[in-house]
Amino acid sequence: AKSEGRGNFQFFSQAMNAATHERVMMENRLWQALGENQFELYLQPQVSLGSGDVVGAEALLRWHHPELGMVTPSRVIPIAEESNLIFALGDWVLVRATEVLAEWRRDGMQTLRLAVNLSARQCQGRELLPRLDQLIARAGIDPALLELEITESTAMRDPEATRGLLRELRERGIHVAIDDFGTGYSSLSYLKLFAIDRIKIDRGFVTDIETDANDAAIVTATVSLAHSLGLTVVAEGVETAYQSSFLRSRGCDEAQGYLFARPMPAAEFRSFMQAARAR
Ligand code: C2E
Ligand code: CA
Ligand code: CA
Ligand code: CA
């Protein structure tokens, strides 16, 4: 029995080593990818449900690996978050996002807003605010066109610190959206404590709007709650015309999802906008 126990332990520890090894390998590849410029920001349009116009976009990270092909952020971000890679990668995203805003401005799309996802550890770091100041000045862009998306769980990790950060961002005119709204374990009372501009209704509530009366009720209540607090609302994961018209009828301000467009490279986004303008 004793040797069997040791055998199990060895098996367990080998499996653990394999997992650790896999993670370390992935982390090394990601550092290399940063050096070799294998990342790209895809842009997904955000549409005003009132006018039908594209009023902004969300920046979504993509990794083009020479052998693995395109890797989605759900495989990249968790690994990056376990090491200091998240700071380097998060910084790359901010640099690229401010460049995109400067490109839009040159191309006559100077009113489009760009939303960028922030990870929890980026929000805790002390470098974020001075770095944003520097990047905004360098790109010569209007800070009000930059929106930072912070998930509900990131915001609630340290509500006092979040409150301070959001106040600083507001002073600079940078917009803040609460991402994945409704998925975290949190009280609604924080909404009035935080200096936020909008909330994003999680795709999980949008998908079954047509068939699930509870989801429909939650979405309706969320829109009216947000509006009564002076916040605007964006719904994510909108895939059908029914979902879009339901959201519009409830007064939801904007929507984002495959119904309108999938995330795309910046050059494709420019053509998309030109085609939209020509219509
Ligand atoms: P998220 O912030 O909730 O982003 C929305 C996700 O939904 C994106 O997945 C987007 O491609 C996808 N999506 C958009 N419309 C639809 C739709 O109509 N149907 C469906 N089924 N999906 C839709 P993506 O690009 O794979 O990103 C996944 C997550 O990775 C993001 O979720 C975000 O949490 C994280 N992420 C992406 N880019 C970054 C980044 O630059 N920094 C950080 N920290 N996180 C990022
Ligand atoms: Ca997001
Ligand atoms: Ca989201
Ligand atoms: Ca989500």
Side-chain angles (χ1 to χ4, degrees):
K2 206 174 178 187
S3 65
E4 198 180 283
R6 184 186 293 172
N8 282 344
F9 175 76
Q10 267 174 4
F11 176 76
F12 178 66
S13 116
Q14 269 167 13
M16 258 201 22
N17 283 339
T20 307
H21 180 73
E22 165 74 26
R23 213 189 48 221
V24 169
M25 254 184 38
M26 192 69 165
E27 195 194 316
N28 288 339
R29 279 181 177 156
L30 289 170
W31 279 110
Q32 196 184 347
L34 260 182
E36 293 179 5
N37 232 349
Q38 291 170 0
F39 290 105
E40 184 174 8
L41 276 191
Y42 269 34
L43 307 173
Q44 186 178 35
Q46 294 180 327
V47 176
S48 158
L49 286 171
S51 67
D53 293 339
V54 176
V55 288
E58 177 177 4
L60 294 158
L61 187 69
R62 295 291 181 267
W63 176 27
H64 302 283
H65 186 271
E67 285 117 45
L68 302 173
M70 193 158 85
V71 186
T72 62
S74 56
R75 292 192 57 202
V76 173
I77 300 292
I79 289 173
E81 273 183 331
E82 283 178 33
S83 75
N84 286 331
L85 179 63
I86 194 63
F87 296 110
L89 190 55
D91 191 67
W92 182 87
V93 170
L94 288 174
V95 170
R96 183 63 198 127
T98 47
E99 282 171 5
V100 166
L101 278 167
E103 287 163 17
W104 284 355
R105 184 185 171 141
R106 279 198 298 276
D107 293 340
M109 305 192 286
Q110 64 278 65
T111 60
L112 283 187
R113 198 187 43 229
L114 185 62
V116 178
N117 294 284
L118 281 191
S119 82
R121 291 183 57 213
Q122 255 181 306
C123 293
Q124 288 158 349
R126 216 169 272 177
E127 314 79 49
L128 181 64
L129 290 167
R131 184 59 168 159
L132 283 168
D133 291 340
Q134 187 185 34
L135 292 176
I136 287 167
R138 192 207 281 174
I141 53 168
D142 178 358
L145 296 177
L146 183 63
E147 180 166 276
L148 301 178
E149 295 193 0
I150 298 173
T151 66
E152 206 177 23
S153 45
T154 293
M156 293 313 290
R157 199 173 276 202
D158 183 347
E160 246 339 284
T162 302
R163 216 177 144 196
L165 174 66
L166 299 193
R167 212 181 294 128
E168 289 281 343
L169 291 170
R170 170 149 302 170
E171 261 171 39
R172 288 160 169 80
I174 299 169
H175 284 204
V176 173
I178 297 290
D179 204 358
D180 301 347
F181 183 79
T183 61
Y185 173 77
S186 66
S187 123
L188 290 174
S189 61
Y190 79 88
L191 282 177
K192 67 171 199 274
L193 294 177
F194 290 163
I196 55 175
D197 300 282
R198 26 201 235 152
I199 60 183
K200 294 192 78 175
I201 299 181
D202 190 68
R203 170 156 60 90
F205 298 109
V206 173
T207 305
D208 298 323
I209 268 180
E210 189 166 2
T211 52
D212 187 330
N214 290 327
D215 284 347
I218 289 169
V219 166
T220 303
T222 303
V223 172
S224 82
L225 170 75
H227 284 170
S228 66
L229 293 170
L231 309 172
T232 61
V233 192
V234 194
E236 56 180 24
V238 176
E239 295 183 350
T240 69
Y242 179 92
Q243 291 163 355
S244 172
S245 59
F246 178 92
L247 289 159
R248 193 158 69 107
S249 75
R250 295 305 191 270
C252 180
D253 303 280
E254 290 169 32
Q256 180 185 343
Y258 296 167
L259 175 68
F260 308 102
R262 290 186 178 249
M264 60 188 111
E268 211 176 294
F269 184 82
R270 190 187 308 124
S271 321
F272 177 87
M273 289 303 295
Q274 277 160 358
R277 223 181 297 172
R279 273 202 300 271

